[in-house]
Amino acid sequence: MLLLIVLTWLLSLPGASPALANGLAGTPPMGWNSWNQVRCYDLTEDVVKKAADALADTGLRDAGYKYVVVDDCWQAPTRAADGSLQADPTRFPHGIADLADYVHSRGLLFGIYAVPGSRTCAMANDAYPASGIGSLGHERQDAETFDRWSVDYLKYDWCNADTVDGLDRRAAFEKMRDELAALPRPIVYAISEYGVSSPWTWARPVANLWRTTNDLVPTWDSVLATIDQQAAVAPHSGSPGGWNDPDMLQVGNGTLTADEARAHFSVWAVLNAPLFAGTDPAKLSDADLATLANPEAIAVDQDFAGGQGRQLAAGPGYQVWGKPLTGGGFAVVLLNTGTTTATVSAAIPGAWTVRDLWAHRDLGSDVSMSLRPHAAALLKLTPK
């Protein structure tokens, strides 16, 4: 089956409101997050230290994966007598400050999880036996605690704070933004309300990154549904310092094949998405490690030339995505969404040298690939 797409590339990039003025996340943040690997009850300080070691030892740290983010369930069931957050004493016996020091000693940055309401997501969804560990009423105290622990990145997760606590999304996220801004330590601010209130329309001055979808799970159907959702979001893309976030990577997890994982990563790269591995980096297959560490694909993700990637064409069994690159070129993803091998082609006006960023070889001027089901080509077009 030949799928021929003839495009006219329109770079009508919308003006963007200023990004959050904290000087951070000039490029999409990259790192590791604990949730997809161990979820709640298996989260321990040993798991986090081993992940930090593996990021350093596999070369992922040097490829750009700098942030080690501890997600939900790090907390003790209650706050300390003075109202401050504390780590679970069994799973984190040395405390969070010690863990942050260890992560920093490996040349990495440390991130942590909190919520604006009274309940974390694990309390609601995993029966996590805690009470009062949300930041509601403790915003300043928690921000100061994170500063004291040398936290570099905060994931602030909504977790039904509207229905449970009657909070307004934007106001609640702005409150923690202001508390972080008052700290001497710069902290990247990531907010997650799953795209419910279209945060891409209001979050640039509030946070460094904002989730655009519900949670991604490690199946092709979930990856493809999330890709489809980004088509409407992309015209409202962030700018350096503020990024649309279609959720953490599922490379190496679940039922994703090597082709599907590479297609997943290809689209995330063209979307300028934050790249957070969510699997055990010490146990990655050679194929998945090559996907996560591909310097040419990562360079596409980190190159913001005025516009996030957009869906340029779509039809039964195929999609084409593209974005401008610094220097006048473009990155293009040819995606076979069908169940049989197909050739996906794009006719791009102009004269180009085309490079296959997965095969690491030049293709001449042909923007066309035969692709297995659920596979993608990530191409770089350089003007001749």
Side-chain angles (χ1 to χ4, degrees), residues 24-25 29-33 55 64-69 103 108-111 152-153 188 276:
L24 301 174
M30 300 171 59
W32 171 88
N33 180 290
L55 290 177
Y65 294 84
K66 299 291 189 183
Y67 290 95
V68 174
V69 180
V103 168
L108 295 156
L109 299 167
F110 182 74
D152 304 294
Y153 180 109
V188 171
F276 280 84

Side-chain angles (χ1 to χ4, degrees), residues 9 11-14 234-240 243-244 269-272 300-301 303-310 322-326 330-331:
W9 205 299
L11 291 179
S12 55
L13 302 175
H236 304 279
S237 64
S239 55
W243 307 102
N244 285 329
V270 167
L271 290 173
N272 286 120
V300 170
D301 177 80
D303 185 341
F304 183 78
Q308 175 189 305
R310 301 190 186 192
K323 69 178 293 289
L325 296 173
T326 302
F330 299 97

Side-chain angles (χ1 to χ4, degrees), residues 9-96:
W9 205 299
L10 299 176
L11 291 179
S12 55
L13 302 175
S17 59
L20 177 62
N22 62 3
L24 301 174
T27 61
M30 300 171 59
W32 171 88
N33 180 290
S34 63
W35 187 256
N36 288 345
Q37 179 182 330
V38 294
R39 200 168 174 99
C40 180
Y41 293 98
D42 292 329
L43 177 62
T44 67
E45 67 178 37
D46 189 52
V47 165
V48 180
K49 288 180 178 181
K50 287 181 177 179
D53 291 341
L55 290 177
D57 296 342
T58 60
L60 287 171
R61 177 195 63 192
D62 296 337
Y65 294 84
K66 299 291 189 183
Y67 290 95
V68 174
V69 180
V70 179
D71 211 287
D72 203 356
C73 301
W74 63 267
Q75 311 92 330
T78 60
R79 290 175 175 266
D82 66 355
S84 61
L85 287 168
Q86 52 189 349
D88 181 274
T90 301
R91 292 180 290 109
F92 292 84
H94 298 96
I96 298 301

